[in-house]
Amino acid sequence: MRYFLADILQFQFHRAVSKASGCAGALNRCSIYGNREAGARLAKMLEMGQSRPWPDALEALTGQRQMDATAIRDYFAPLQKWLDEQNRGKPTGW
């Protein structure tokens, strides 16, 4: 279960720090390398360690207290668009 949740959270974290870094492009193209704002947010969350409940740490990084799997869709949106174009007009299914 923790690996499943970690997958969801990694995309949510990536979206949050990408926004903090000012990346306005496609989420899969955003890099936070060397960005101080993104690093500060990540450090703020990591400073908590296990001393605070996980929703507090999530809020420190993302501004939300709940997990949100829509970041996965945001990340893979360009791929979904490409697949839709490739499959347009073709029968789907078995």
Side-chain angles (χ1 to χ4, degrees):
M1 184 58 106
R2 72 177 177 216
Y3 293 113
F4 173 74
L5 296 176
D7 281 342
I8 294 172
L9 288 170
Q10 82 178 16
F11 285 97
Q12 189 173 1
F13 290 172
H14 181 63
R15 181 172 60 187
V17 293
S18 293
K19 285 182 182 178
S21 72
C23 183
L27 188 58
N28 65 319
R29 297 287 187 171
C30 290
S31 173
I32 62 165
Y33 181 79
N35 186 279
R36 294 191 185 277
E37 178 61 30
R41 278 205 172 178
L42 190 57
K44 184 178 176 183
M45 179 191 76
L46 294 174
E47 284 174 356
M48 293 180 185
Q50 293 183 348
S51 66
R52 306 276 299 274
W54 70 266
D56 292 349
L58 182 62
E59 185 176 25
L61 182 64
T62 67
Q64 301 173 322
R65 293 188 60 83
Q66 296 180 351
M67 290 192 316
D68 181 9
T70 61
I72 297 171
R73 289 195 56 124
D74 293 347
Y75 186 88
F76 289 106
L79 176 61
Q80 180 67 48
K81 180 182 175 189
W82 181 82
L83 287 170
D84 290 343
E85 289 171 3
Q86 295 300 310
N87 293 324
R88 185 173 294 122
K90 296 180 182 173
T92 57
W94 300 100

